[in-house]
Structure formats: C-alpha cells, structure tokens
Amino acid sequence: MNVVTRARLLVHVARWRLTWNRRDLGYRPRSLSNPKFVSARTAAEMIGDGDVCFSSGMAGNGRCSIFFWALRDRFLRTGQPRGLTWITVGAQGGRGRAPGTIEEIALPGLVRRLIAGHLETKKAMLRLADDGHCELHTMPQGQMTYLLEAQADGRTHVVSDVGVGTFLDPRVGAGTVVAGTGRDSMSQVEDERIRYQLPTLQCALFIAPWADEDGNIYMDGATTLTETLESVRAVRRNGGKVLVAVAGIIERDPSSVFVPASQVDAIVVNPYNEQTGSIPQRRAWSMFTTACRISPVEGIARLRFMNRVVGITPKRGPVEDALARMAARQFVRHSQPGAYVNIGVGLPEEVCRLVFEAGLTQDVDFLTETGVLGGIPAPGVFFGAAVAPKRMMTSARIFHLCRERLDTTILGVLQADSEGNVNVSRRGPGAINYVGCGGLPDLVRSARNILFVGTWMAHADLRIEGGKLRIARPGTYKFVDRVDEITFCGRQALAQGKSVRYATNVGVFQLTERGMELIEVMPGIDVRRDILNACPMRVVLPPDGRVPVVPDEVVTGRGFRLGWNR
C-alpha cells in the first residue's frame, strides 16, 4: 500500500470521525409521493409500548443508527414507547464509544428486556441490567436465526442438541437468563435436547442500500445480509410492521428486488446510511462485494491500516506472533484444501492472517455468521464482512450450510478447564462483564475440527529470548480446574467424535478421553515446573511421557512456512 493510499485513508477516517453522528430525523424527500416513505421520527411513532422489536446487523455492518436515534429522541420527548423487548443476533453495540448503535436506546423504561446472541459491545445495556432496569437473555446465534425461520412458518420453537451440557442447558446452568428476575421460558429440556423459543416478533428494523419509488428494497452494495429476510418474513407472518432505512432511490429493477414493497410498512431515506463502519453507502467500497475490483492483498492491507489508525486492532508482540504461528500450523496439519472454515474474532484473526499470507486462502472457503462465504474475513471494526466474497446469503442459510459442511472452526478462549470445557461467555461478575455465547454453540456442534486459540495467562509477562519462551512474571491462569461458565462442553464434543485442540503460549493441548493432553510444548518451558506443578488445570502427558518441542521457526518466525499435509 503506497503513501498516497495511506494519506487518503487517513483523511477518510478523520472525515468519518468528524461526521459519524450526522442525522436528520425529520428528513423525507419531497419528490416522493408514495406514503410508505416517511421521516425517521414518523417511523419511530409506529412502535408501540411493549412491542417486540428485532434489528438486523453485525458490528459496523447494517447498523440501524437512524432508527436508534429516532427512538431515543421520541422517548426523551414523550416518554414513549415503553417496555420494549429488543432482539438482536449479532453484536450491535459500540462499547460506549461509538454513536449510532443500539446503546442509543439504553434508557430506563424504554427497553425492559434484551435478547441477543452477543452482548459484550452493548455496554450501556449491560449497565442498565446491573442497575435493575433491563432483563438480559442470550441464545446461540444459529438457533436464533432458525427461530426466525420458524416464526415465518408459523412455528413457535425449535428443538436442538446445540448447547446441551453448557450453561444454556437448564440441567447445567441458568439457561438463557443472564440478568434480571424473568423466568427462563426460552430454553427448556425436551427429549434430552433443548427447546428454544423467542417472543413473537412484532417489528423488524434494518437498513438497505436502496429502494425504488414503489418501495421495493435492494441489497446491491451491502456488505452483509444477516437476518433481514428471515426477520421480515417472521414479522409479516405475525402481522407486525417492517421498517427500512435506505441510502437513496434507484430505478426499479424486478430482477434484483430483495424485499418487495408489499412486505414493507415504512421506508426512511437516510443519506448517511453506512455500508460498513466509516463508509457511506452512497460511496460504497466494492471490495466488500462479489464485484470486488481490487486484489484481496490490497484490500486487507487497507483495512488493517484503518484498524490501527482508529485503535481497534490490539498490538501483538513476539509472544502472540509465535502463538498465532503455532495455531496456524495446527490448522494446516488437521484441515485440508476444499474445507469450509470459520474464523472467530481476536487471536483467530491472526491465524487467518498467516494462512492468507502463505497463499493458502485460495484453497479453502472462509465463512462468517453474517452469511458471507468465501473471500478473506475482514478484521477489526469491519468484522462480519469479507474482502472479495464469493457469495452472500442470510445468516440462517449460512448456519444451515455450517451444519452440512463446516470442517473447521477457529475460536478464542476466555477460560478452559480440565474437562476441555471452554468459557467465552462470561468475563467476570455482573452483567457488565457478560459477553454472550455468540455463534460458538452452533459452530462447535457443526465443525469436525475445533481449534481454540488463547493466551495461557492474563496479565503475565511472557518473553521470547534466544528462541525460547520465558515466563518473566506469572499472571492469572486462564486454564483452570473448572471454568466459571460452560459455553463449550468437552464431554459432548468427545461423544460427537470431534477433534479438539487448544493452542496456548506454552504449547498445544488435545482433548482426549484421558483428559487435556499436552501434545506440543514451547522451547524454554519446563513441563513439570511450568505446567504440571503450576497450572490449576489437570494435564496429562502422552502415554510415553514425551512431549514434542515446537520447532524453532514457529517460535522465531525465521524460515516459517505453512503448507498442507498432502
């Protein structure tokens, strides 16, 4: 990426930061006579007290900013609507730092219940829950998309083995309840499986790139489709309202209609709709679409640069780089060309980076929960989109595809324990530290190979010196005897014949019937002193007692190469 491109991106980010909360809640194009076209304020008045609302989107993709602002404005002016139940599948918050997210409606009395697959970014909502003003529930993202399909078909629930043995299983944990006094009526045991259920949807809100003057909706130029189609169908079946915000008006094209006008109740024209974080839909970047016009190498370089500028991407040092190389080596050893692969956020993105830099991404199809198939998963603030995707589908369709064909999922770790259980849903006490289960329960049930990637300790001082790992100052172990909350059940994975590995700073573990077996160790680590006698997690060694040492090139990066085992 040349100097001129860097300068342009810096200007782009600066302009976004200065204008990222621009809005006109009263705007309605005068040239449009169709009564379906209304202002954002008018659209907000269509939501009544106690309604069950669903908003689509993931992170910066498909953000319903104009609706969140309009609802906040109405509530502050009139005190209505009150007591809403709000449902989202993906992450739609801004961690209290970015405007125009679902956190805009985090006001006492406005939303009384939030149901979401991912909660961590919705910090204002989590604070409401800690203050007793909002009830929180979480549910697997894939099951939530299936429930949208169910409501569209006139069904009320789905029964699944996803989540069995985890906190979502009422026999193990609290079910879907995260905070509040509400009874968990959304997850119940049925025939040794779990019966999931959502409240009846009454309003669907989403943004789209374009509409025509008749009110037909188009998705040309969108980065993701997420749950738009299924939520529209569910709400229409339930006799509810569909509200859409579009960036502008285009000529009618019957062959490209995504949602017909007959399925839409109100359309808001918002010229500031974003394609994804920082990018106006009216000046959409083709790199996020199947019509990508630049090389994926250039596209990824631009996105990484922008993430660094806005401070999204964590700084990785030599220790994290070595961990990513170790995990990437595990991936290519246990996967193969032609595989469908899912990449999670955080350290798994670093594994994806190495696979990309090795030129191996052309041999596999990456996919994300948002419905994007192929291409290179976009990092940081753009997560959920992809550079040069091959195909785009709804979230429900991608979860169906996962169940049929997913080979490998690479995921992060907050905690892991002696039974191979993993916690990714709870960081600590209170709602403010809650993450949610996300799509993990669905992905681990679908994938044949599961690779967790996580640091061995939190707040430790680990160093690579002379080609060896040294623990200069121990921290808090993330590999413990028993996790605080079971998001992934090791026992269930073994029963289902999964291959499960855990890449850490000190080495790689494999889940076996004997327990967590250390199958590779970093040079510089004394197995007995640094692992067996120090770690709270019970660890077993290979039957012969010999643990292979990670090769030097993995530790230092010098001469490191990735390639498939053919």
Side-chain angles (χ1 to χ4, degrees):
M1 190 170 62
N2 59 40
V3 174
V4 174
T5 301
R6 288 173 181 263
R8 287 175 177 170
L9 292 176
L10 284 172
V11 171
H12 170 89
V13 172
R15 183 185 297 117
W16 175 57
R17 181 60 184 86
L18 292 171
T19 62
W20 66 356
N21 61 352
R22 291 180 68 181
R23 56 192 181 271
D24 183 351
L25 302 182
Y27 176 71
R28 180 189 183 278
R30 294 181 180 179
S31 60
L32 296 174
S33 59
N34 188 334
K36 287 191 177 184
F37 288 91
V38 300
S39 71
R41 283 200 177 97
T42 300
E45 291 171 359
M46 299 174 72
I47 298 175
D49 291 350
D51 277 358
V52 177
C53 302
F54 182 95
S55 56
S56 299
M58 166 72 86
N61 304 290
R63 215 162 31 141
C64 298
S65 298
I66 195 70
F67 290 127
F68 297 142
W69 279 319
L71 278 167
R72 180 184 182 90
D73 173 77
R74 181 189 172 199
F75 184 78
L76 291 175
R77 286 187 295 106
T78 69
Q80 290 180 307
R82 300 190 64 84
L84 301 180
T85 289
W86 206 278
I87 304 175
T88 77
V89 171
Q92 293 183 17
R95 292 191 169 89
R97 293 179 291 183
T101 74
I102 196 173
E103 293 182 273
E104 299 290 345
I105 58 174
L107 300 171
L110 177 51
V111 177
R112 71 171 182 84
R113 179 170 57 172
L114 176 67
I115 306 167
H118 194 281
L119 290 163
E120 182 183 26
T121 64
K122 305 174 177 76
K123 292 298 184 186
M125 289 289 193
L126 301 182
R127 293 190 187 94
L128 274 187
D130 274 335
D131 291 340
H133 297 302
C134 184
E135 182 182 315
L136 296 183
H137 291 256
T138 191
M139 193 178 292
Q141 289 178 319
Q143 300 308 298
M144 293 184 77
T145 66
Y146 294 169
L147 284 166
L148 297 179
E149 290 183 315
Q151 289 198 18
D153 293 338
R155 295 178 286 118
T156 61
H157 64 274
V158 296
V159 179
S160 173
D161 58 356
V162 168
V164 170
T166 74
F167 78 92
L168 294 159
D169 187 335
R171 296 165 294 189
V172 176
T176 69
V177 177
V178 174
T181 58
R183 183 176 63 88
D184 183 14
S185 59
M186 287 178 269
S187 64
Q188 301 174 5
V189 177
E190 182 173 312
D191 297 330
E192 301 301 316
R193 296 189 294 169
I194 301 177
R195 171 181 170 141
Y196 292 105
Q197 186 168 343
L198 283 174
T200 300
L201 270 63
Q202 296 164 305
C203 185
L205 305 95
F206 68 96
I207 70 169
W210 317 108
D212 62 32
E213 291 188 6
D214 295 330
N216 298 302
I217 306 299
Y218 301 83
M219 280 294 189
D220 304 48
T223 57
T224 60
L225 302 181
T226 62
E227 311 83 30
T228 49
L229 206 54
E230 287 81 13
S231 65
V232 167
R233 289 171 176 167
V235 166
R236 297 306 293 188
R237 176 65 181 247
N238 297 335
K241 298 180 177 66
V242 174
L243 314 181
V244 189
V246 300
I249 307 300
I250 60 173
E251 292 293 326
R252 187 170 183 268
D253 179 6
S255 65
S256 300
V257 171
F258 184 72
V259 177
S262 61
Q263 303 297 300
V264 178
D265 293 280
I267 304 170
V268 174
V269 178
N270 176 31
Y272 307 115
N273 266 6
E274 289 184 337
Q275 180 197 33
T276 185
S278 82
I279 304 165
Q281 187 68 59
R282 287 171 172 264
R283 297 193 297 274
W285 289 4
S286 67
M287 75 161 76
F288 294 114
T289 73
T290 54
C292 178
R293 294 192 295 268
I294 66 173
S295 75
V297 173
E298 175 68 14
I300 290 296
R302 293 182 186 184
L303 300 185
R304 287 192 181 129
F305 177 75
M306 291 175 67
N307 278 319
R308 289 196 297 272
V309 170
V310 299
I312 295 296
T313 303
K315 294 181 179 179
R316 308 292 189 192
V319 173
E320 290 79 21
D321 291 341
L323 170 56
R325 286 189 289 268
M326 188 191 312
R329 184 165 167 265
Q330 286 292 318
F331 167 66
V332 297
R333 287 172 68 180
H334 298 283
S335 194
Q336 58 189 353
Y340 278 37
V341 180
N342 168 261
I343 300 288
V345 296
L347 285 169
E349 292 180 279
E350 296 301 305
V351 178
C352 181
R353 173 182 63 84
L354 292 170
V355 175
F356 169 66
E357 292 174 353
L360 302 182
T361 51
Q362 61 188 352
D363 298 330
V364 298
D365 281 316
F366 290 111
L367 56 83
T368 68
E369 302 94 307
T370 59
V372 178
L373 175 65
I376 313 301
V381 71
F382 308 100
F383 182 79
V387 175
K390 292 181 180 179
R391 185 180 166 198
M392 296 175 68
M393 61 190 79
T394 65
S395 295
R397 291 312 309 160
I398 207 75
F399 276 110
H400 283 301
L401 180 63
C402 285
R403 197 60 184 254
E404 296 164 6
R405 296 192 56 183
L406 186 62
D407 179 81
T408 301
T409 184
I410 306 176
L411 302 164
V413 180
L414 287 178
Q415 289 179 311
D417 70 18
S418 304
E419 303 298 323
N421 300 319
V422 170
N423 168 26
V424 300
S425 49
R426 183 180 291 280
R427 291 188 181 278
I432 195 65
N433 288 307
Y434 207 77
V435 179
C437 57
L440 183 145
D442 304 279
L443 295 167
V444 296
R445 180 61 186 93
S446 298
R448 182 172 61 89
N449 294 303
I450 302 167
L451 176 60
F452 290 104
V453 187
T455 54
W456 182 241
M457 299 172 177
H459 315 299
D461 182 3
L462 305 181
R463 303 175 184 178
I464 290 180
E465 299 173 348
K468 296 182 179 181
L469 180 71
R470 183 168 74 89
I471 303 176
R473 186 188 70 250
T476 303
Y477 283 96
K478 297 175 69 173
F479 287 72
V480 296
D481 184 47
R482 185 169 179 80
V483 294
D484 294 336
E485 183 165 274
I486 301 175
T487 327
F488 164 79
C489 178
R491 173 175 48 81
Q492 284 291 319
L494 284 177
Q496 293 159 1
K498 310 288 186 182
S499 170
V500 189
R501 291 175 174 78
Y502 309 73
T504 78
N505 306 106
V506 299
V508 180
F509 298 85
Q510 180 173 354
L511 180 60
T512 70
E513 294 291 350
R514 299 170 56 237
M516 292 285 275
E517 181 177 322
L518 182 64
I519 60 172
E520 281 192 336
V521 66
M522 285 284 281
I525 293 296
D526 183 291
V527 172
R528 186 158 298 279
R529 180 194 65 207
D530 298 322
I531 298 178
L532 296 180
N533 292 343
C535 175
M537 181 178 73
R538 299 189 303 276
V539 176
V540 298
L541 302 182
D544 62 4
R546 300 177 182 178
V547 183
V549 178
V550 173
D552 292 342
E553 62 267 23
V554 173
V555 184
T556 65
R558 293 190 295 270
F560 178 72
R561 297 287 184 274
L562 282 179
W564 303 112
N565 286 343
R566 298 187 185 272

